[in-house]
Amino acid sequence: MTPRGPETAPGALPSVDILRMEGITKRFGPVLANDRVTLAVRRGTVHALLGENGAGKTTLMNILFGLHAPDEGRVLLRGRPVEIRSTREAIRRRIGMIHQQFTLVPPLTVAENIVLGLPPRRGVFLDLRRVEREIESLSRAYGLDVDPRLPVWALPVGMQQRVEILKALYRRADLLILDEPTSVLTPAESEALFAIIRRLVAEGHSVVFISHKLEEVMRISDTITVLRHGRVVDTVRTADTTPAELARMMVGRDVVLRLFKGPPRAGGPALEVDDLHAVGDRGLPALRGVTFTVARGEILGIAGVDGNGQAELAEVIAGLRRPTAGRIRIDGRDVATPAGRRAVADRLAYIPADRGRFGVILDFTIAENLALKAFHRPPFSRGPVLDRSRIIDHARALAERFDIRMNSVLQPVRQLSGGNQQKVVLAREMSGEPVLIVAVQPSRGLDVGASEYVLRTILEQRDRGAGVLYISMELDEVLGLSDRVAVLYGGEIMGIVRPGDARLEDISLMMAGSLRTAQTAAPAQ
Amino acid sequence: MNGRALAGRLLPVWAVLVALLLGMVPVGLAGVNPAAAYEEILRGALADVYGFATTLVKTTPLLFAGLGIAVALRAGLVNIGAEGQIYMGGLAAAVVGLSVHGLPSVVHVPLALLAAGAAGGVWALVPALLKVGRGVSEVITTLLMNYVAIYLVSFLAGGPLMEPGAPYPYSRPLDAAAQLPVIIPATDAHAGILLALALAGFLHLIFGYTAVGFRVRMAGANPAAAAYAGVRVHATLVAAMVASGALAGLGGASEVMGLKHRLFDAFSPGYGYDAIIVAFLGAGQPLAVVATAFFFGALRSGADTMQRSLGFPSRSSSRFRGSPCCSSPPAWPCRDGSSAGRGDGRRSPRRCRPPWPQG
Ligand SMILES: Nc1ncnc2c1ncn2[C@@H]1O[C@H](COP(=O)(O)OP(=O)(O)OP(=O)(O)O)[C@@H](O)[C@H]1O
Ligand SMILES: [Mg+2]
């Protein structure tokens, strides 16, 4: 292994721990986000952080990256105590953090994004050619496979994430923090990311990996630290533990990872989509003649590789994207006109893939967000006047029911942990009595307990008589939950099958666009 | 709240303090003791009833326009056009005050105010429609509309509406029934401030306690989420912008009906631009805007007094408003070397192109 960089002072003992955080405490008002947390990351390993939503994982890493100052405790980097007061300083100390929200500038190229904010090295001029060559060789060395000349907007999410990784590597980071990197990735992209992580670690880099997916953590990590309510429950070697034990440590009790699902009792149509066409963000056709029906009381899953029209389909049905042709009827009503759309607004629940954009208003309070769709009606309004105490009471009840971890319903949603933001969306959308639920990856960013709760709620809604359109990139999830599955490829439906009847191979072939079934499974009566 | 968060919340206060400190430099260079200058401002603005009345007079248009800009801000829009909306409001009020006679004051005043609000609203409607229809930035269009309004008033006050034989472009006086009453005897302080304060209270209630205000805030904070939640985002933005223009228009009306009683050429010395700072420092909160408008009104009134008592060259006192750059539209030197700024006597319509390429 190569000797490490200049940060290792000559004469200092080469420490095996690249990072030690000792007794870190961080308060946000009354919330103890981190309570005397101690974390040691060995050089050249993947260290996973696990914990429920709001357990304090992101906070701990934000402290390391100079985004928050700890109230107590100290940080040792490469064996020496350091005080990291800004991200600039963190980067200088060779720490890289890849947040869930990317920080790239879409119109700029990969290379331009990577050098953005760096001082030019040759006088005042930027030698972009040279930078591009450097990025290419870096990219090749770690198997990242990124073309530095492409504009970022043209890259899929998985690639953008690699650009973020490259950006950190270009700044010579050797301790990388990945905060829920796989929550935005398709299973194939996650596989590719794991290969990259293995390569990085083999080269002597160290990685802190945050995820809610236990099987991922089991596969990629060497060591696991579990946090609960801001405290370290335990640090274990991955080889010595099991997913069940991890889940128990996280939640503090045994978790039942099983859903009880009765047969569907399909009723009249909740959603009818007829020959729907739509164009995507890049101006290319995204939906090309999609036709299907979701009955009340059934779950129709949409399977497919990301980028085959799923996002556009959900947005068109939710009224956020205009179709170029075709018809949509929700609960029997045509929603082509604004009036038709408003008429069904209350009977539609939508859990978007991009919650920060469509799901919540980050600067509004939790209470306001929970009343976002009904603020203008009783009981939240009397005439033109808002009834603030009703809005607050309603929010308290929902926060309790959906276990939203917060200080107060008057906090802005921005201050919540990622998973708890998602719970705000779920609480608002799933608490009413919708006729149609459009859910895109609803358990994204949720811990085991919370995702189980979400799936249970979706099933309850189905049994109550709601039609559910369930969109996910994870085939297992779709097959497990849905009553029927439609496979989307290239903006077209390759077939609609019942999960029990269809062979997995056939579904895979349909997802790849090489099989199309003529017959369509009808909803069960 | 920890120290850093508190410091962040007080940022506008720091900004003002730093601006005041920086203002001392040119004052010192002009050979005046800065401490004496600030003391004089304070005395001039607040110490006696005349100073206070002048402060109210200067506060009034700043408050109307500041509230207008704050409404736009809440909807996520930046209205740089308050100055033009002030002119249009003043013009409409003047027309109603000049052409209608024989009405009792209780009818005439509201009629003139209504016309002013409508004129200011229409002036903001054009940029609003361009914004939602074509995606044209309202920052540019509202600014451009200012020039049109200023020159329109200049033309009318110096032409069709000019009092015959007047030494300067201004109109005949308005019908007495269209004038706002004085509220502090023997001063200029007029009832415009009362209306502005009432509107501030009203807007505070709207944004804090009503569904309408909630809708506007939603459209401003996250248009996509608002659209999903059933808000008609485009209509809301247009309405907010029109309300913004109407409020600024009322500011113009109150200047004409309360203070000048005639339509003067160039009757607003850049109130609409100062109001941008007033609204932003007040973070778009109506009650905070009352405070910032009063602060800037006091600076304007105090600066006038100080200028007189300390014998200042006239333009340098605008430093005290903290940002001389923004209190007037920028002027650029012309190719032929002459300066086409505001310095040449009356407000000249000649302004040359900025030095950067356009298009
Ligand atoms: N800026 C802030 N202001 C107030 N409270 C905060 C702030 N940031 C985090 N918190 C609180 O600190 C606690 C820990 O949050 P953190 O984001 O670290 O959780 P997490 O473990 O990353 O959760 P998730 O899995 O949902 O992302 C939460 O209760 C959160 O509400
Ligand atoms: Mg987090």
Side-chain angles (χ1 to χ4, degrees), chain A residues 1 11 13 18 38 183 199 297 510 516:
Chain A
M1 199 128 304
L13 280 177
I18 185 165
T38 291
S183 67
R199 199 109 153 217
M510 285 193 263
R516 191 191 279 264

Side-chain angles (χ1 to χ4, degrees), chain A residues 327-471:
Chain A
R327 275 204 331 181
I328 302 171
R329 294 165 78 86
I330 295 173
D331 199 18
R333 249 200 105 110
D334 197 314
V335 293
T337 61
R341 181 50 74 180
R342 275 197 300 280
V344 301
D346 303 331
R347 282 171 275 171
L348 170 69
Y350 175 47
I351 297 151
D354 188 347
R355 71 171 160 260
R357 194 155 149 236
F358 297 123
V360 288
I361 298 181
L362 289 168
D363 291 321
F364 277 28
T365 64
I366 296 166
E368 286 174 332
N369 270 287
L370 287 171
L372 213 54
K373 284 166 78 180
F375 66 92
H376 53 284
R377 277 196 309 257
F380 300 138
S381 274
R382 262 176 295 153
V385 180
L386 295 176
D387 189 336
R388 299 225 286 192
S389 63
R390 283 284 175 77
I391 290 176
I392 289 170
D393 290 345
H394 165 81
R396 292 213 174 105
L398 282 186
E400 164 100 40
R401 189 172 138 204
F402 283 81
D403 190 26
I404 300 172
R405 310 268 168 96
M406 51 167 202
N407 312 342
S408 135
V409 294
L410 296 178
Q411 257 181 302
V413 163
R414 191 182 289 287
Q415 288 181 0
L416 294 182
S417 79
N420 282 298
Q421 293 182 7
Q422 181 73 358
K423 289 186 197 169
V424 171
V425 178
L426 291 163
R428 184 185 66 225
E429 301 295 324
M430 303 296 282
S431 55
E433 300 209 331
V435 166
L436 176 67
I437 296 169
V438 178
V440 189
Q441 316 253 53
S443 50
R444 165 174 289 177
L446 294 184
D447 61 46
V448 259
S451 10
E452 180 207 27
Y453 182 69
V454 169
L455 298 184
R456 246 203 347 258
T457 315
I458 289 179
L459 278 175
E460 275 168 26
Q461 286 283 6
R462 175 194 82 157
D463 294 340
R464 188 190 54 77
V468 180
L469 184 69
Y470 185 82
I471 302 179

